[in-house]
Amino acid sequence: MEFREAIMRRYATKRFDGRQIPQDKIEELLEIVRWAPSGLNIQPWRIKVVSNAGLKEELSAAAWDEPQIKSCSHLLVFCADTDYAGLVAKLLPAMKEAGVPEKVCEIVKGIAEEMGHMPPASWLTYAKCQVHLAVSYAILGAKDLGFDSCPMTHFEPDEFARILEIPANLVPTLLCPVGYAADQAPPKWRYPKEDLLLP
Ligand SMILES: Cc1cc2nc3c(=O)[nH]c(=O)nc-3n(C[C@H](O)[C@H](O)[C@H](O)COP(=O)(O)O)c2cc1C
């Protein structure tokens, strides 16, 4: 599918038909998400993929019983990683391993040290912003691969963390149920470009 066609045909699906997406397609979707950009390329995200019906049922109650949770094929729970020191410790050797020039590694190291002075709450906000970008790759990637999705923040992160036994350093931030739509796309609308641009 053309990129622009994916943009225009994607919509926040409210109900899926319950069919399972083949595992190889889910792997392809995760591969797309893996290439999302992030500040410093620090990639402060982890994803829990839930396909078990019983678990989805349990999670549904912690997401106001929005129909996407139980009817989707796979529920991707995008988490922000609050372990800044751990992320930096992983980042620098990985950059070297990937062949990033020494000079660039040094610059990133300096910025990472500066950013290390951020209060934890600011880091969490920063990490959550990066997670949102990763989810934008997921929703467009899903459409490109022939299925549907819905970004969702209407859920209780603490309950999700408890039910899914998510490690304490990870904060469930955004849900992305994927599946085959059982509803109709509503009329797509956005404000006109004049409202987008500042004079
Ligand atoms: C960050 C974010 C959170 C959202 N949370 C929910 C949600 O919890 N439940 C839901 O049904 N839709 C949710 N949506 C979908 C939006 O309502 C939808 O994207 C918006 O109305 C535009 O419609 P479209 O995506 O179909 O073009 C969310 C979208 C975003 C970007």
Side-chain angles (χ1 to χ4, degrees):
M1 189 180 289
E2 285 290 322
F3 182 62
R4 280 179 218 198
E5 191 188 350
I7 288 175
M8 294 316 293
R9 288 183 50 192
R10 182 214 60 79
Y11 70 98
T13 300
K14 301 292 176 200
R15 189 179 295 277
F16 300 93
D17 69 6
R19 271 184 297 151
Q20 283 292 109
I21 296 170
Q23 190 56 33
D24 62 320
K25 292 279 174 203
I26 295 295
E27 298 300 330
E28 273 190 75
L29 181 65
L30 295 172
E31 184 59 18
I32 289 169
V33 171
R34 197 167 77 77
W35 290 101
S38 57
L40 289 187
N41 203 8
I42 199 163
Q43 305 161 63
W45 46 55
R46 297 294 289 273
I47 303 168
K48 179 80 180 174
V49 181
V50 181
S51 57
N52 177 280
L55 260 185
K56 283 190 271 179
E57 173 98 34
E58 206 179 332
L59 293 168
S60 176
W64 314 99
D65 284 321
E66 289 217 46
Q68 295 97 324
I69 307 296
K70 276 195 274 188
S71 64
C72 71
S73 166
H74 292 70
L75 177 63
L76 276 52
V77 180
F78 282 75
C79 302
D81 194 340
T82 62
D83 178 15
Y84 184 70
L87 286 163
V88 172
K90 186 178 175 187
L91 175 67
L92 295 166
M95 286 176 74
K96 284 189 184 141
E97 173 80 22
V100 176
E102 190 63 36
K103 214 171 160 186
V104 177
C105 293
E106 281 306 310
I107 292 169
V108 168
K109 189 169 176 232
I111 299 171
E113 275 167 12
E114 277 297 311
M115 285 176 63
H117 302 303
M118 247 195 244
S122 303
W123 168 252
L124 178 58
T125 303
Y126 186 89
K128 283 182 169 181
C129 290
Q130 320 304 308
V131 169
H132 279 67
L133 263 177
V135 171
S136 69
Y137 270 49
I139 60 178
L140 288 170
K143 199 71 213 171
D144 183 55
L145 289 166
F147 45 89
D148 301 287
S149 66
C150 184
M152 295 177 69
T153 46
H154 198 206
F155 72 103
E156 295 172 52
D158 292 347
E159 270 300 279
F160 267 61
R162 183 188 65 76
I163 294 165
L164 297 174
E165 298 177 359
I166 287 173
N169 62 303
L170 300 175
V171 178
T173 297
L174 211 54
L175 308 179
C176 184
V178 293
Y180 300 99
D183 62 359
Q184 294 291 321
K188 203 162 187 75
W189 74 274
R190 295 293 188 265
Y191 296 118
K193 207 190 284 173
E194 300 79 68
D195 291 17
L196 179 67
L197 297 174
L198 287 169

